[in-house]
């Protein structure tokens, strides 16, 4: 497991947003926060629907992520981005469930680390 939660947006986010994102990713993935990698890229050049109104492109990646969890994760993320003024209808979430052999860490892969 190695949940990665990456949010790119065209607005400036408050300093505490990344901590909130990390805690949310832990809750949504049902993983310990110590395993979460949260990335926030704010103030990016980003157009959604041809306008520069607040918008976001989000990636949620975790080994073993189940398709049936996508709606619940989407709802949690929608609530988070709404709290900073991004309408959920102006964001896409890209879900990924990579194989443990596809993620490297500590000079090896997650597959080797969990043996």
């Amino acid at each position: 497991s190695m949940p990665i939660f990456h949010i790119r947006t065209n607005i400036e986010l408050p300093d505490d947003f990344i901590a909130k994102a990390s805690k949310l990713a832990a809750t949504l993935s049902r993983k310990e926060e110590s395993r979460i990698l949260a990335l926030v890229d704010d103030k990016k050049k980003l157009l959604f629907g041809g306008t520069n109104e607040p918008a976001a492109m989000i990636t949620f990646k975790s080994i073993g992520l189940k398709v049936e969890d996508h709606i619940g994760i989407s709802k949690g993320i929608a609530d988070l981005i709404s709290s900073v003024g991004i309408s959920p209808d102006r964001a896409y979430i890209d879900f990924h469930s990579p194989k443990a052999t596809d993620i490297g860490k500590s000079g090896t892969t997650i597959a080797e680390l969990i043996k």
Side-chain angles (χ1 to χ4, degrees):
S1 65
M2 43 45 76
I4 298 172
F5 188 26
H6 188 182
I7 301 172
R8 293 162 299 270
T9 183
N10 57 353
I11 66 170
E12 185 171 0
L13 295 170
D15 290 340
D16 67 344
F17 183 84
I18 193 165
K20 290 177 182 176
S22 179
K23 287 182 189 342
L24 178 66
T27 298
L28 296 174
S29 64
R30 296 183 291 282
K31 307 279 171 73
E32 297 171 16
E33 191 175 1
S34 62
R35 295 178 165 186
I36 303 296
L37 175 62
L39 297 94
V40 173
D41 292 321
D42 62 352
K43 300 183 283 182
K44 295 297 176 190
K45 293 180 182 178
L46 187 152
L47 290 180
F48 190 107
T51 76
N52 63 356
E53 293 298 312
M57 178 60 217
I58 300 161
T59 302
F60 195 93
K61 183 185 297 192
S62 183
I63 295 168
L65 183 64
K66 295 179 170 67
V67 171
E68 55 268 22
D69 292 334
H70 290 185
I71 292 175
I73 293 168
S74 185
K75 171 69 173 117
I77 292 171
D79 291 344
L80 177 70
I81 65 174
S82 292
S83 75
V84 292
I86 301 169
S87 175
D89 67 351
R90 292 194 45 82
Y92 284 132
I93 303 168
D94 187 15
F95 295 101
H96 289 280
S97 182
K99 296 181 285 188
T101 54
D102 293 337
I103 303 295
K105 183 180 180 204
S106 301
T108 187
T109 65
I110 298 292
E112 290 298 312
L113 291 172
I114 60 177
K115 280 186 176 179

